[in-house]
Amino acid sequence: MSIFEFISSIVLGGIVAFHSSDTTSPIMYGLIAMLIWFMIPFAVNFISLKKRSLRTFFQGKSTIFIQDGKVMEDNLKKEKFSTDDLLESLRAKDIFQVADVEFAVLEPSGLLNVLPKKENQPLTAKDLGLKLPPKKEPQTVIMDGEMILEPLANMSLNPNWLETELEKINVTIENVFIGQVDSDGQLTVDLYDDKIAVATPSEKPLLLATMKKCQADLELFALATENEQSKQIYEKNSEKLTKAIQLLAPILKN
Amino acid sequence: MLSFLNQRASKGEIVKMTVSSQVKVCYSSIKSAEATIQMLANKTQNKQTITAYKQAAQILSEVKVDLQEQVMYLLREEPQY
């Protein structure tokens, strides 16, 4: 919230409070005053959207407090921030040591935003060099025991498919509280009756296990056979399967 | 596992027979895996995932063809089977 919005909301509150309790002043004045105080922040917003220099004037600029891991004392003084204030704001971001911070900036709204040093940032799949398949949002296809057609159509599935899937896990649709389909087309359900155990989707782990087993079998065959040609074929195919497993493992594991 | 025990016991006909049946089992597992991959590929919405599935299915079908040849070869070796 910018300072203009803050002021105008207080003023608007005052006008409403005054005119609703004071019976002597005409209601028209109150309405006009309110209209004007509505218009001012609206106009300010409109102008600041159009022009950057006016935006910095109306909404203020952000101030850098920590850069390259070093505290900018002059900027702290300019913003009337004491050392305690800075430490408190950092603690709000779960940082208890200034040395852990690479960059911190005070936003015009008064919020301190912090970029921790790389080694203090949470580990991501990118850091580990993991390739993860992109996942889209799941669709809720059953709510309160009723099929919802639109999300089902979004996944290009039909009611027949849903009925078959429910039959596979042996539940009736009336017993399903929530049913969702993920982007891989797997259905997960929560039942009204919590005593019934529902089978979790097992196709993907099973497939991965099958492929791994086949690969191990081929390696065994390659070791066991005495025929040189067969041995080569087994080895070649074992390598191919390893490649396929590597290709699918990130998808099948989650 | 049993076949390898057998193999150590006697390098007879029985050993090769069990090997050929093992290869057959492996062959059918590959077939089933390929079918599962194609099914999953049909169900998923994501294009990248579909490509990965298709590549894997391609590899598996190559392996399948090779294994089929091996099964035929082993059967020819063991006519009494």
Side-chain angles (χ1 to χ4, degrees):
Chain A
M1 194 159 39
S2 77
I3 189 77
F4 272 90
E5 286 162 15
F6 185 66
I7 292 170
S8 62
S9 60
I10 290 175
V11 172
L12 274 172
I15 293 169
V16 170
F18 178 75
H19 283 276
S20 60
S21 58
D22 189 1
T23 48
T24 53
S25 76
I27 198 88
M28 205 55 212
Y29 291 174
L31 287 177
I32 291 167
M34 271 170 76
L35 190 74
I36 289 168
W37 277 99
F38 263 122
M39 291 303 284
I40 290 173
F42 192 79
V44 167
N45 253 343
F46 186 77
I47 297 165
S48 54
L49 261 182
K50 295 279 172 196
K51 230 172 156 65
R52 209 186 106 80
S53 54
L54 284 170
R55 187 158 64 232
T56 50
F57 174 73
F58 285 125
Q59 297 184 352
K61 250 180 162 174
S62 51
T63 315
I64 295 165
F65 274 3
I66 300 177
Q67 195 163 32
D68 301 329
K70 292 181 187 81
V71 182
M72 313 263 109
E73 292 82 6
D74 293 342
N75 286 353
L76 277 180
K77 217 179 273 174
K78 221 190 280 170
E79 295 288 340
K80 316 265 184 309
F81 238 66
S82 70
T83 323
D84 282 320
D85 291 336
L86 177 68
L87 287 176
E88 190 190 328
S89 303
L90 286 179
R91 280 196 293 267
K93 297 273 177 185
D94 280 335
I95 293 168
F96 288 77
Q97 201 154 14
V98 182
D100 291 348
V101 181
E102 171 71 36
F103 182 77
V105 60
L106 184 75
E107 306 294 352
S109 57
L111 230 80
L112 189 74
N113 282 330
V114 182
L115 176 76
K117 285 190 176 146
K118 190 68 194 160
E119 67 261 32
N120 293 312
Q121 280 174 21
L123 201 59
T124 59
K126 198 176 154 196
D127 294 331
L128 290 172
L130 282 181
K131 239 188 112 197
L132 294 180
K135 268 216 156 164
K136 293 218 177 94
E137 75 284 4
Q139 298 277 1
T140 307
V141 293
I142 303 174
M143 270 187 203
D144 308 315
E146 270 173 42
M147 194 185 297
I148 306 169
L149 291 175
E150 199 191 309
L152 207 56
N154 284 346
M155 301 289 290
S156 55
L157 298 167
N158 58 26
N160 280 339
W161 173 86
L162 190 56
E163 274 161 23
T164 322
E165 285 298 303
L166 286 174
E167 228 167 80
K168 265 195 224 164
I169 54 173
N170 228 347
V171 294
T172 54
I173 192 159
E174 292 81 23
N175 200 5
V176 179
F177 179 54
I178 296 175
Q180 289 182 310
V181 179
D182 66 11
S183 58
D184 294 325
Q186 286 178 318
L187 177 73
T188 46
V189 292
D190 182 86
L191 303 182
Y192 279 114
D193 191 345
D194 287 331
K195 276 172 195 140
I196 301 173
V198 199
T200 46
S202 60
E203 272 167 347
K204 288 161 136 198
L206 257 180
L207 174 63
L208 190 61
T210 310
M211 282 168 69
K212 277 184 178 163
K213 183 187 167 291
C214 285
Q215 193 263 336
D217 276 351
L218 284 174
E219 257 172 29
L220 272 183
F221 297 155
L223 287 175
T225 186
E226 277 151 24
N227 186 327
E228 202 49 47
Q229 207 189 337
S230 305
K231 198 186 183 85
Q232 274 175 6
I233 290 175
Y234 288 137
E235 275 170 359
K236 192 185 76 189
N237 283 317
S238 161
E239 270 168 30
K240 275 187 185 172
L241 260 186
T242 316
K243 221 187 283 170
I245 290 170
Q246 277 171 356
L247 196 65
L248 289 188
I251 300 169
L252 296 178
K253 272 181 186 162
N254 57 76
Chain B
M1 214 46 230
L2 199 69
S3 67
F4 296 106
L5 291 176
N6 282 343
Q7 204 170 24
R8 226 169 286 156
S10 67
K11 288 194 174 175
E13 301 292 278
I14 312 156
V15 178
K16 279 184 186 168
M17 195 182 80
T18 44
V19 165
S20 93
S21 67
Q22 275 187 327
V23 176
K24 261 188 179 170
V25 169
C26 188
Y27 168 63
S28 52
S29 296
I30 291 277
K31 249 164 91 173
S32 113
E34 194 196 355
T36 315
I37 287 176
Q38 271 159 1
M39 195 186 69
L40 287 172
N42 277 334
K43 279 206 298 188
T44 190
Q45 299 283 306
N46 196 312
K47 277 190 187 138
Q48 241 175 301
T49 315
I50 291 175
T51 352
Y53 277 138
K54 277 189 178 156
Q55 278 173 3
Q58 176 65 32
I59 293 173
L60 250 65
S61 79
E62 284 166 25
V63 174
K64 192 180 74 179
V65 170
D66 274 0
L67 268 186
Q68 194 175 19
E69 274 167 19
Q70 278 299 306
V71 171
M72 301 299 264
Y73 167 74
L74 286 168
L75 284 183
R76 250 183 281 124
E77 290 283 291
E78 298 295 326
Q80 80 275 28
Y81 180 73

